[in-house]
Amino acid sequence: MALPRTTLTLLLLLGTAVAGVTLLFTTMDPWMDRGGILVGGLDVHIYRDGGWRVVHERALYIDPTHYGLLYTYTPFSALVFLPLLLVPWAHVTTTWLVLNLLVLFGVVLQSFRMLGYRATTELAAVSALLTLACTFAEPVRTTLYYGQINLVLMLVVLWDFSRAGNSTLRGLGVGVAAGIKLTPLYFIAQYLAQRQWRAAATGALTFIASIGLTALILPSDSYQYWTSAFFHSGRIAPDVHPANQSLRGAIAHLTHGPAPVWLWLLIAIPIALVALWLSAVLVRRGEPLLSITLGGLTACAISPYSWGHHWVWFVPLLVYLIHRAQTRAPWWLAAAALYVAIAAWTYTYTPTWVSVGTFLLPPWWPLPQVLMNIYVIIYLITLAGMALHLRTLPPAPIEPAITLPAPEQLSPETRAAAAPHPDDDRPAMMN
C-alpha cells in the first residue's frame, strides 16, 4: 500500500525534522568537548581499539582501552570490528556518524516496509524526514554522539524478522547480533514464542558458532570473558545511575541503593513472559512490526543495565504511531507525546558539563522519580497499550487440519467410490 494523506504527513514531518535538527545544533554547541554532536566517537574508538588489540595480541579485558575505559563487549565483537582499522584514527568519528545516519534511514524505511508500504519516492521522503527528526531523540542522539552500534544491531534484527517464515536465513541476523552484544539473545526467545523453531535454532547455533570461532582465534580473551568479565556488571556502571533505564535501574532509583537480584527477577521474569506471549499473538494478528518493536523494548527493560542509547527501539514505535495516524488523526498526539518524552533535552550544570535526556534533568525538577525512570514508564504504558490494542484486531485465522479437494477435482473413480450407497452408512462427501 502507499501512504495516504501524504501531504499532511510530509508537512508535519518536515516541521518536526527542521525543529529536531535545529534543536540538535542549538541546545548544545556541536563542537563542545565531551558533548557536542560533532566531536564524539568515544565508543567507536573503543571498538576500533578492540580490533587493534586482536591484531597486536593484546588482552581485551585486563587493561583499559581508549580513555581508560574497559572493553565490555564479547570477544567475537572485536573480530567484527577489525574492518574499523582500515579507517584512519582521525576519521573514525565522522565515518561512523555518517554510517549511523544511513542505518537510521534504513531502520525507518524497513519499519514502513514491514507495515506493508510500497517502496516509493513518497515513502523515501517520509523516511528521510523522520530520520532527521529522530536525530534529536535522546537514544538516537546519544548513539550518534558516542558512535554506538545500537542502530546497526536493530537494523540487522529488523531484517531478520522481515524474512519469509520458511527462509533458511531467518535467525542468522539475530545470532550474529547476539554474538556481538548479548542483549539480542532475547529475540531467540521471541522466535520460540512464535513457534519459529528453525529460526530460533538458526539463531542459537549462529550465536554458539560465534563463541566457538572466537575461542579458536582468541582462546585467552574468550576464557577471560566467559569466566570472569561476563559476571562483573560493575564494569558498566552502578545500578543507581540515572542513566540506567531498566527495570533493575528503576528499582535501584526508587530504593536508593543496589537493586536486590531476587526483586528484579520477581518483576522482570513475569513481564518478559507476558511480552513474549503478546509478541506471538501480535504476529498472528498481522502486526509484525509491533511485535518485534515490543521485543526490542522488552530486551532493554529486562536487561540488568540499559543506557538511554539502548532504547533506539522507540524509533520503529514512532513509525508505527505515524502509520496509525494515517487513518486516525488522534494518533499524531501519541506520536508527539512519545517524541517529546524521549527528546534530547539538555541542562547545563557547568559550562563544560551538559546533561542530555529527560532522565538526566536535575533532581529538583518536578516529579523527579518519574523523569528518572521515564523510559521504563513509557515501556510499561506501551506494553499495556499493546495488550488493549489486541482487542481491536481481528482474530487469527484458523487453518484447517485437512483441506479436502472440491468434488470436480476428483477422478470419476474417486467420485464413484465416495458416493453414498443404500447399504453404506459412511457419510457422503459434501461440497
Side-chain angles (χ1 to χ4, degrees):
M1 60 181 173
L3 274 172
R5 300 171 60 183
T6 305
T7 303
L8 174 61
T9 301
L10 284 174
L11 288 176
L12 289 173
L13 289 181
L14 176 61
T16 308
V18 171
V21 174
T22 301
L23 288 169
L24 177 68
F25 284 92
T26 57
T27 53
M28 186 188 301
D29 181 355
W31 296 103
M32 175 182 170
D33 185 35
R34 300 188 181 183
I37 188 66
L38 299 180
V39 292
L42 172 63
D43 287 343
V44 70
H45 279 89
I46 292 176
Y47 301 160
R48 189 181 186 277
D49 189 70
W52 181 88
R53 287 170 180 270
V54 169
V55 172
H56 293 84
E57 299 182 353
R58 298 282 295 275
L60 276 173
Y61 304 105
I62 297 177
D63 300 324
T65 64
H66 190 52
Y67 271 97
L69 297 175
L70 297 173
Y71 195 84
T72 59
Y73 288 81
T74 66
F76 174 71
S77 68
L79 300 180
V80 175
F81 294 141
L82 282 173
L84 285 173
L85 295 176
L86 301 175
V87 182
W89 181 269
H91 300 293
V92 170
T93 298
T94 303
T95 302
W96 198 256
L97 177 64
V98 173
L99 177 63
N100 260 334
L101 286 172
L102 293 175
V103 170
L104 177 60
F105 173 77
V107 165
V108 175
L109 188 61
Q110 180 62 30
S111 297
F112 275 119
R113 295 285 290 144
M114 291 184 71
L115 289 168
Y117 290 96
R118 295 195 304 269
T120 62
T121 303
E122 290 80 4
L123 183 64
V126 166
S127 299
L129 289 176
L130 185 54
T131 296
L132 293 175
C134 284
T135 57
F136 189 62
E138 186 278 329
V140 174
R141 195 262 186 213
T142 310
T143 292
L144 295 176
Y145 168 70
Y146 283 115
Q148 264 284 336
I149 198 172
N150 306 307
L151 290 169
V152 175
L153 297 180
M154 179 166 61
L155 182 59
V156 170
V157 172
L158 284 172
W159 169 83
D160 203 59
F161 273 81
S162 67
R163 306 291 299 172
N166 58 354
S167 172
T168 56
L169 296 179
R170 191 173 171 90
L172 180 66
V174 166
V176 172
I180 297 172
K181 193 172 184 177
L182 298 176
T183 307
L185 282 173
Y186 179 86
F187 297 108
I188 296 178
Q190 188 156 328
Y191 272 135
L192 291 173
Q194 296 175 10
R195 299 183 181 180
Q196 295 284 330
W197 314 120
R198 184 166 67 179
T202 300
L205 290 175
T206 302
F207 172 68
I208 294 171
S210 73
I211 297 176
L213 173 65
T214 312
L216 294 175
I217 301 174
L218 303 172
S220 178
D221 289 322
S222 295
Y223 179 82
Q224 177 71 24
Y225 180 80
W226 294 109
T227 61
S228 178
F230 172 75
F231 299 99
H232 295 162
S233 59
R235 292 168 60 92
I236 303 174
D239 286 350
V240 294
H241 196 293
N244 186 6
Q245 293 296 295
S246 68
L247 289 168
R248 185 170 178 173
I251 296 170
H253 300 157
L254 294 173
T255 59
H256 306 288
V261 174
W262 67 267
L263 181 58
W264 164 56
L265 294 177
L266 186 65
I267 297 173
I269 291 176
I271 287 179
L273 293 176
V274 169
L276 286 172
W277 172 79
L278 266 177
S279 68
V281 177
L282 285 168
V283 165
R284 293 199 298 269
R285 302 286 185 89
E287 294 280 15
L289 179 65
L290 205 54
S291 174
I292 185 57
T293 300
L294 176 59
L297 295 175
T298 302
C300 294
I302 66 174
S303 176
Y305 201 104
S306 288
W307 294 99
H309 53 73
H310 292 171
W311 291 83
V312 289
W313 284 96
F314 284 133
V315 173
L317 179 60
L318 197 58
V319 171
Y320 182 82
L321 295 176
I322 293 172
H323 157 69
R324 298 286 295 180
Q326 303 309 302
T327 53
R328 293 191 62 189
W331 283 91
W332 282 114
L333 296 177
L338 175 64
Y339 186 78
V340 170
I342 66 173
W345 306 116
T346 59
Y347 183 84
T348 304
Y349 282 87
T350 69
T352 58
W353 181 22
V354 178
S355 64
V356 179
T358 306
F359 52 85
L360 286 178
L361 290 175
W364 56 84
W365 279 50
L367 302 174
Q369 292 301 331
V370 173
L371 297 180
M372 190 180 295
N373 301 296
I374 188 66
Y375 288 0
V376 175
I377 293 172
I378 295 174
Y379 167 74
L380 294 176
I381 293 173
T382 302
L383 185 66
M386 290 185 184
L388 293 175
H389 178 58
L390 283 178
R391 301 176 62 182
T392 68
L393 297 176
I398 300 176
E399 298 182 1
I402 300 177
T403 302
L404 296 176
E408 60 271 16
Q409 295 177 328
L410 300 173
S411 64
E413 294 79 6
T414 304
R415 286 203 301 270
H421 298 275
D423 57 349
D424 191 351
D425 60 356
R426 293 178 301 167
M429 283 188 114
M430 299 183 64
N431 187 358

